[in-house]
Amino acid sequence: MTVSVLVPSSLTREAEDKREATRKLGYVARAATVFRVDRLVVFPDPGGTRGQFGDGFVETVLRYAATPPYLRKEAWGKRDELEYAGVLPPLRVSPRTGSGSDDSGSLRQGIVTEVGSDGRVRVNCGLQHPISLPAPDGGLSEGERVSIRVSSRRPVRAKFADASPPGYVVEASDLSTELSRDDAGIRLATSRHGEQLSVDRLGDIVAETDTRGMTVAFGAPERGLPEILDVSPPGGDEGGEETERESTALREPDGSRFDLWLNAVPNQGSEVVRTEEAMFAVLACLSLTE
């Protein structure tokens, strides 16, 4: 089962400066980590992206946040998008194997630093020194990211692993592609105009996500999913009868591919729930167990 979260490229459109935009993305990264999201996908919103921080800013900062601290300098160097990366909160990703990131049997992310002519490669995986390992079939290239399973530190015993290291991966894709994936699971659109989440309804939804996984899409400040998709809010602005325009709009490809439009913050006390706040509210509900 896969948990995918979709956020728009216009996610930081209301931020006054790059520092505030970076801090906002730090909260998004924290939410993805806390609730064990597998994939954090940035989808394009050309109509809402002001571009004041450069194309790819949201994706770059989220990728950097997902990179283990011991690899950030080597993986990223200095980039304009990361000018205020120091304000990002630590993620402290919990390992899914072993009792800690440095313990026996831990799964770590590494970067290939050197490819030798003897069929071996050197990998920086956050230990005291880069480690030398036999290159896998197909070979590796310098700078490539790999997963390493460390079974002993003294002496060092490690091998390449097929499994992904703990934490989320960041990808760029469009909504149509993401909603059509075989592992999309139940596809949820978050909106203040969606069906209000109740205790009884939550049980039904969680039971389905437990068996199918889920894809949850969020909007941007002052530009929710109905605006991004150019569809009328499901249920109408006033929660009344569906209008002819709304009925037609929701049959458009992206608007109709969601299984459910969900309002997880009914009776909200603020006129606006920020995307990072909505992520914590929605994912907290959907992570509950019986």
Side-chain angles (χ1 to χ4, degrees):
M1 293 182 297
T2 302
V3 176
S4 299
V5 167
L6 318 181
V7 296
S9 59
S10 55
L11 184 59
T12 59
R13 66 192 305 268
E14 93 296 4
E16 295 182 358
D17 53 40
K18 192 183 295 184
R19 182 187 183 93
E20 180 58 32
T22 302
R23 189 187 305 277
K24 179 186 182 76
L25 293 174
Y27 296 138
V28 171
R30 283 287 299 171
T33 302
V34 168
F35 297 107
R36 292 192 181 276
V37 169
D38 298 302
R39 302 172 62 248
L40 187 54
V41 180
V42 180
F43 64 86
D45 176 23
T49 304
R50 296 173 180 171
Q52 68 269 46
F53 307 125
D55 294 338
F57 173 78
V58 170
E59 181 187 351
T60 297
V61 174
L62 291 176
R63 285 185 185 275
Y64 178 87
T67 303
Y70 55 81
L71 292 182
R72 286 177 176 174
K73 183 177 180 180
E74 184 164 350
W76 292 96
K78 291 185 177 181
R79 298 184 57 159
D80 290 342
E81 301 97 320
L82 303 175
E83 181 180 1
Y84 292 102
V87 305
L88 291 170
L91 300 187
R92 298 182 63 85
V93 179
S94 299
R96 299 183 184 182
T97 56
S99 58
S101 61
D102 295 325
D103 291 338
S104 175
S106 65
L107 193 63
R108 302 174 68 83
Q109 191 177 134
I111 293 180
V112 177
T113 60
E114 182 182 342
V115 178
S117 57
D118 57 353
R120 300 182 70 87
V121 296
R122 291 176 66 81
V123 180
N124 175 8
C125 59
L127 301 181
Q128 187 173 5
H129 303 287
I131 59 175
S132 176
L133 295 171
D137 295 339
L140 293 171
S141 56
E142 188 172 325
E144 188 170 344
R145 301 279 187 98
V146 292
S147 293
I148 301 293
R149 188 174 297 282
V150 179
S151 57
S152 171
R153 295 195 66 189
R154 295 183 181 178
V156 174
R157 293 192 181 92
K159 62 181 180 180
F160 290 107
D162 293 332
S164 299
Y168 64 87
V169 296
V170 179
E171 301 175 17
S173 184
D174 58 80
L175 278 173
S176 296
T177 299
E178 291 304 307
L179 298 177
S180 301
R181 286 173 58 101
D182 292 337
D183 62 352
I186 181 171
R187 298 161 298 183
L188 303 173
T190 60
S191 171
R192 65 182 300 176
H193 305 288
E195 175 186 336
Q196 292 193 359
L197 185 62
S198 65
V199 174
D200 291 339
R201 190 72 174 96
L202 177 61
D204 296 335
I205 297 172
V206 169
E208 195 162 358
T209 61
D210 281 346
T211 57
R212 295 176 53 192
M214 61 181 172
T215 295
V216 190
F218 294 86
E222 300 177 356
R223 191 169 168 80
L225 283 174
E227 289 79 13
I228 291 175
L229 296 174
D230 193 23
V231 300
S232 292
D237 287 327
E238 304 299 327
E241 294 183 1
E242 183 183 79
T243 65
E244 181 178 352
R245 175 178 177 272
E246 175 191 340
S247 178
T248 301
L250 288 178
R251 287 199 296 270
E252 293 299 318
D254 290 331
S256 62
R257 287 182 180 175
F258 290 105
D259 298 308
L260 177 65
W261 287 73
L262 185 66
N263 176 9
V265 191
N267 303 317
Q268 63 190 55
S270 173
E271 292 182 1
V272 177
V273 175
R274 297 176 178 177
T275 305
E276 64 271 26
E277 296 169 339
M279 283 184 64
F280 276 99
V282 172
L283 297 176
C285 291
L286 298 179
S287 67
L288 293 176
T289 58
E290 295 182 2

